[in-house]
Structures are given as structure tokens and as C-alpha cells.
């Protein structure tokens, strides 16, 4: 999937040059109008699009919001931007249900925190970023800090429960599978805090054809024809 130019919004293609935003000469992408941007700045632009979409969405279904986010140009099949997208989807749906006027502030904080989870942390650190994103969601809606008591435990438990559910299915990696699992745990925690999110009747993955590591029938969201 092509990235969209951060200057004019047109599709880009890999090339060589100097980024118009930061001056980098690595991993340059150029659009038809000649705007050149590096991978890092393009990723940053996608992160900003995630926040903007969630700010303006009125959906109360985190799965619906998430599926729209992964359609944003520049969201790869396996991508650290899921570390923001999962929590942002939950925050948007939660705030829409609860009429919580903290929505924009919480989304900005979700973006800031989610970006800190390294790519590949699921396999390299044993801590999937989608699971951390759920814990971050719980932390944000409850105002949890390292000094909190009960909610400190809730935020950590949300991450732990997500990781356990992911581990029960096993690997290899799949950002979509783990994100769907994490969203389900996030819904459970939203309910504990008095928020009943809208949910689809069934969650079916429509992107497995693009995943070379898809575990197929072992995945609860797999459908051979989707």
C-alpha cells in the first residue's frame, strides 16, 4: 500500500532524494508532484491521520473505527502504528458513548505513548504493542499514574489479559489478529467502567491474503473466503 504525500496528499513511490520535512536522505518516497519525504516523516503523518480520524469519528464501535484506520494509506500489514491504532479506536468509541469531552486530549496522549512501543516488540520483547495499547487505553480513561492504586492494577491487568489471550492462540506475528484480540479485551474493560460499546455480530479478518505468516484456521478471525 502506497503512502500519501504529507505535502499534497498524492500517492508516493520509493525513490532517492532529500526529505522536504527533516532533510533526511534515507528511505525517501516521492509523489508525482516531486515532493520527497522520508519513511520516518511519512510514518509520523500516518500517526497524525489516525488521531484526526478518531477525533472526527462518531462511531461507538471500536472494531469499525479500527478497520477504517488500517485502510489509511501507509498502514502496513505488520506495522508499529497498530500500537496507537488499537488504543485510539477504543478511546474514540468510549468517548463517543460517554460523551467524554477529553477525547482530543486522550487521543493525543495515546499517540504519544503508543509511539514509544518499539516495532516487533511482540517477538523481540514478549510484549505485543497491541496489548500495551489496551493497557494505555485503561490508564488514560481512568487517569492512572505510577502512583495510582486500584486503577494501576486495572491497566496492567488489561495488558496481561490481552497477552494471555494472544499466547493461547500462538504465533507467528499478525498485527490484525492481535489487534482484534486486544480490542475485545478493551471492550471488557470499558464495560467495567460503565461504558457499553457497540460491537459487530462477528469479527472476520478481511486482510489475511496479505499476510504471508497467516496461521489460517488457527486464528479465530480467519475466513477462507473474505
Amino acid at each position: 500500500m502506497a503512502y500519501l504525500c504529507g505535502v499534497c496528499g498524492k500517492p508516493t513511490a520509493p525513490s532517492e532524494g532529500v526529505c522536504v520535512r527533516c532533510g533526511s536522505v534515507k528511505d525517501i518516497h516521492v509523489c508525482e508532484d516531486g515532493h520527497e519525504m522520508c519513511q520516518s516523516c511519512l510514518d509520523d503523518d500516518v500517526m497524525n491521520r489516525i488521531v484526526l480520524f478518531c477525533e472526527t469519528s462518531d462511531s461507538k464501535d471500536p472494531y469499525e473505527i479500527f478497520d477504517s484506520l488500517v485502510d489509511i494509506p501507509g498502514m502496513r500489514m505488520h506495522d508499529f502504528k497498530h500500537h496507537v491504532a488499537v488504543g485510539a479506536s477504543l478511546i474514540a468509541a468510549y468517548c463517543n458513548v460517554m460523551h467524554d469531552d477529553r477525547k482530543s486530549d486522550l487521543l493525543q496522549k495515546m499517540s504519544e505513548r503508543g509511539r514509544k512501543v518499539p516495532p516487533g516488540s511482540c517477538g523481540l520483547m514478549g510484549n505485543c504493542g497491541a496489548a500495551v495499547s489496551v493497557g494505555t487505553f485503561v490508564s488514560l480513561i481512568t487517569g492512572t499514574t505510577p502512583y495510582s492504586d486500584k486503577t494501576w492494577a486495572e491497566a496492567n491487568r488489561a495488558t496481561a489479559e490481552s497477552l494471555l489471550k494472544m499466547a493461547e492462540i500462538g504465533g507467528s506475528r499478525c498485527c490484525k489478529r492481535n489487534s482484534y484480540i486486544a480490542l475485545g479485551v478493551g471492550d471488557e474493560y470499558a464495560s467495567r467502567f460503565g461504558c457499553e460499546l457497540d460491537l459487530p455480530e462477528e469479527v472476520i479478518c478481511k486482510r489475511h491474503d496479505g499476510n504471508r505468516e497467516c496461521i489460517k484456521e488457527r486464528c479465530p478471525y480467519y475466513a477462507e473466503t473474505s
Side-chain angles (χ1 to χ4, degrees), residues 95-214:
C95 289
N96 290 340
V97 172
M98 303 297 285
H99 305 288
D100 193 322
D101 61 7
R102 300 176 298 164
K103 184 179 182 182
S104 293
D105 180 57
L106 296 183
L107 286 169
Q108 289 296 334
K109 289 178 179 176
M110 180 68 241
S111 179
E112 292 167 6
R113 298 181 189 185
R115 293 174 192 232
K116 295 178 181 179
V117 183
S121 57
C122 55
L124 299 175
M125 301 172 70
N127 195 22
C128 176
V132 175
S133 200
V134 177
T136 306
F137 159 68
V138 173
S139 171
L140 286 168
I141 64 172
T142 58
T144 297
T145 74
Y147 301 100
S148 300
D149 185 1
K150 181 180 178 181
T151 58
W152 183 95
E154 295 292 335
N156 281 272
R157 190 176 291 113
T159 297
E161 289 182 10
S162 298
L163 288 171
L164 286 172
K165 289 179 182 291
M166 294 172 187
E168 287 172 3
I169 296 172
S172 56
R173 68 175 183 175
C174 180
C175 286
K176 303 302 184 291
R177 179 185 72 239
N178 286 353
S179 292
Y180 288 144
I181 292 170
L183 289 170
V185 174
D187 167 65
E188 293 172 7
Y189 275 81
S191 181
R192 294 185 192 185
F193 295 109
C195 175
E196 298 301 327
L197 303 176
D198 290 346
L199 300 176
E201 292 185 5
E202 185 177 13
V203 179
I204 298 176
C205 178
K206 299 178 180 179
R207 297 173 175 83
H208 55 75
D209 287 343
N211 181 10
R212 290 178 296 180
E213 290 89 33
C214 179

Side-chain angles (χ1 to χ4, degrees), residues 4 12 40 48 58 65-66 80 115 125 132 202 211:
L4 297 183
T12 67
S40 178
N48 292 336
D58 60 1
I65 296 171
F66 176 80
F80 69 97
R115 293 174 192 232
M125 301 172 70
V132 175
E202 185 177 13
N211 181 10

Side-chain angles (χ1 to χ4, degrees), residues 10-77:
K10 295 181 179 179
T12 67
S15 184
E16 296 181 358
V18 178
C19 178
V20 297
R21 186 169 291 174
C22 70
S24 171
V25 294
K26 298 179 181 180
D27 300 322
I28 298 300
H29 295 249
V30 61
C31 73
E32 61 185 63
D33 288 344
H35 301 128
E36 299 172 337
M37 292 185 67
C38 70
Q39 186 73 57
S40 178
C41 287
L42 286 168
D43 284 335
D44 187 63
D45 187 63
V46 176
M47 291 288 199
N48 292 336
R49 290 173 188 264
I50 289 172
V51 171
L52 178 61
F53 181 90
C54 289
E55 284 180 337
T56 56
S57 173
D58 60 1
S59 174
K60 299 175 182 178
D61 180 347
Y63 289 95
E64 179 181 61
I65 296 171
F66 176 80
D67 281 336
S68 294
L69 295 182
V70 296
D71 282 337
I72 293 175
M75 280 288 286
R76 300 182 292 271
M77 173 61 68

